[in-house]
Amino acid sequence: MIPVQGYAGHKVAVLGLGRSGLATAAALKAGGAEPVLWDDSPEARAHAEAEGWACTDLGREGAFEGIAALITSPGIPHLYPQPHRIIAKAMAEGIPVDNDIGLFFRSWATHEWDDFETMPRTVCVTGSNGKSTTTALIRHIVEHAGRPVQMGGNIGVGVLALEPARDGEVVVLELSSYQTDLARALTPDIAVFTNLSPDHLDRHSGYGGYFAAKRRLFAEGGPDRAIIGVDEKEGVYLANQMASSREDDRVIRISSEQKLGDFGWSVFARKGFLAEWRKGRQIASIDLREVKGLPGAHNHQNACAAYAAARCLGIAPKVIEEAFHSFAGLPHRSQTVAVRKGVRYVNDSKATNVDSAAKALQAFDNIRWIAGGLGKEGGVSFLKPFLGTVKKAYFIGHSGRDFALELEGLNHEICETMERAVARAAEEAEPGDTVLLAPAAASFDQYKSFEKRGDHFAALVAALPD
């Protein structure tokens, strides 16, 4: 774990006792602080107490006397749509509010680094879609290159559960808007912005607030290198804000839609080929079409981002290309779970919004599409231009019938459950078809998480008769 610096001998409140909350409490204690724990959930409190922690109601009168700071879990609202009552109380009393990301960046560097030959580096990845795949791919490339590496944040382990740095180590962090929005310290060496599409808008009071939360990693983080997807206007704006000139190679623009040859440094993918350009010249190229773990244009953007980060770390293009081919992909993200009777079954349960579902629909042909769940604000009419490869849709969950109405004219069947959707798609599929789970919706109407939904799909596919 990373012992938290700066609070030795002080009481520090911890709100939210999930994975990151308990890791935060342990890291505070390791750094000499006295953690004061609370969670509104009796089950979470019982779990913490079973782990040996005492819980103190932070909502009671006088609870913040002698408290130096409040550390909150990222899922707890601190501003919009309404701040949690305990966070509001802390702010009203002038208690600094932070999260584990802020604690990590104030505690990561230690005096032991003075003896290192090569300083550790942090690579932070944010954006709407592709964060997890990009983060895992960077970690895979660094590991393939034979360098020490750890991965955490919104994927893997909580940041404070990482091990202290080793000489020359790279730490790759996936950071959500919930995490970047509140962290009081953000100092990445390399920051990556993949893309932006509507998500979590209630938590950020709209699209502008959502972008502003992502932008903090760059504007306040001041990375040495900024890798920015420029296929949306927000990325174009961010790259312009970060660069001092067109030739400024501290900013690396990436794209999966357009050629980017007129900048100091750019990486882009077109027609399945990744190209790296520097100062008006192409210096490397990789054929992505046979990279099985990265199918589709959206994964080619992820490849561009990971490639750029690896190049910033001094890794050669040939080594990166080798790593691409050995990357298996992540579960629930364009993951082929089976090929049966010539039919491919793909689990993209992580496609919880229309933008990520659109990318999945563009990655395959002859699609039998399983979609639905707990629909998000704005509906799914955005997907109409991407339905040309869909032979039939099988709608499930709370919003299944709404999806059918919005996508009028699409050949479909209301299946309601995953069991029926998989069975019907398998019955009707022909060799060359792809049965694609890309829900374009949250899972919480029928499942505890998108992972549980994807696991159920994979289990049903595995049980299909040969």
Side-chain angles (χ1 to χ4, degrees), residues 160-173:
L160 294 173
L162 294 167
E163 293 301 315
R166 292 170 287 177
D167 194 337
E169 186 165 50
V170 177
V171 166
V172 191
L173 303 180

Side-chain angles (χ1 to χ4, degrees), residues 71-315:
I71 312 302
T72 179
S73 293
I76 301 174
H78 58 270
L79 185 57
Y80 301 114
Q82 289 293 331
H84 186 279
R85 59 186 176 83
I86 290 174
I87 296 177
K89 178 180 174 65
M91 289 183 174
E93 295 189 22
I95 305 298
V97 179
D98 203 350
N99 61 18
D100 61 338
I101 304 301
L103 295 184
F104 169 84
F105 278 110
R106 69 181 287 169
S107 306
W108 175 234
T110 66
H111 291 300
E112 294 177 358
W113 289 28
D114 295 340
D115 298 323
F116 289 167
E117 290 186 9
T118 304
M119 287 296 101
R121 308 285 294 281
T122 55
V123 181
C124 294
V125 181
T126 195
S128 295
N129 298 306
K131 296 189 300 295
S132 295
T133 296
T134 300
T135 302
L137 182 54
I138 295 169
R139 184 207 63 80
H140 178 75
I141 295 167
V142 175
E143 186 175 60
H144 181 80
R147 295 171 61 175
V149 62
Q150 296 187 74
M151 179 178 73
N154 207 41
I155 184 175
V157 302
V159 290
L160 294 173
L162 294 167
E163 293 301 315
R166 292 170 287 177
D167 194 337
E169 186 165 50
V170 177
V171 166
V172 191
L173 303 180
E174 177 191 339
L175 300 183
S176 72
S177 59
Y178 292 3
Q179 293 169 311
T180 58
D181 194 25
L182 185 63
R184 297 171 74 91
L186 285 169
T187 55
D189 295 295
I190 301 166
V192 180
F193 175 85
T194 57
N195 51 56
L196 198 74
S197 61
D199 210 357
H200 310 305
L201 300 190
D202 59 335
R203 177 66 182 267
H204 299 291
S205 192
Y207 204 42
Y210 177 50
F211 175 51
K214 303 285 189 185
R215 183 176 176 271
R216 287 192 76 239
L217 182 63
F218 298 81
E220 299 188 30
D224 295 333
R225 299 280 187 185
I227 299 164
I228 301 173
V230 293
D231 289 334
E232 295 88 26
K233 61 183 179 183
E234 291 82 7
V236 174
Y237 169 81
L238 180 58
N240 183 268
Q241 288 281 295
M242 296 299 295
S244 61
S245 68
R246 177 183 290 187
E247 294 77 24
D248 187 351
D249 64 2
R250 295 173 303 171
V251 175
I252 306 173
R253 292 165 172 84
I254 62 168
S255 173
S256 61
E257 297 180 1
Q258 55 187 307
K259 180 179 178 179
L260 299 172
D262 296 330
F263 300 97
W265 199 347
S266 62
V267 179
F268 58 89
R270 295 182 72 200
K271 298 181 179 180
F273 286 86
L274 179 152
E276 178 187 3
W277 283 63
R278 299 191 73 168
K279 298 179 180 179
R281 294 177 56 250
Q282 180 175 320
I283 63 172
S285 177
I286 296 175
D287 185 351
L288 298 174
R289 294 173 298 176
E290 299 303 317
V291 178
K292 295 181 180 179
L294 297 167
H298 62 302
N299 273 314
H300 292 177
Q301 184 193 51
N302 299 335
C304 289
Y307 177 96
R311 294 290 285 136
C312 291
L313 294 168
I315 300 174

Side-chain angles (χ1 to χ4, degrees), residues 311-336:
R311 294 290 285 136
C312 291
L313 294 168
I315 300 174
K318 271 294 183 186
V319 175
I320 299 171
E321 184 174 8
E322 291 171 359
F324 280 174
H325 284 282
S326 61
F327 181 65
L330 290 178
H332 316 296
R333 297 161 177 86
S334 296
Q335 176 195 21
T336 297

Side-chain angles (χ1 to χ4, degrees), residues 55-74:
C55 293
T56 301
D57 185 359
L58 294 172
R60 63 176 175 77
E61 189 67 29
F64 283 105
E65 290 183 11
I67 297 292
L70 171 65
I71 312 302
T72 179
S73 293

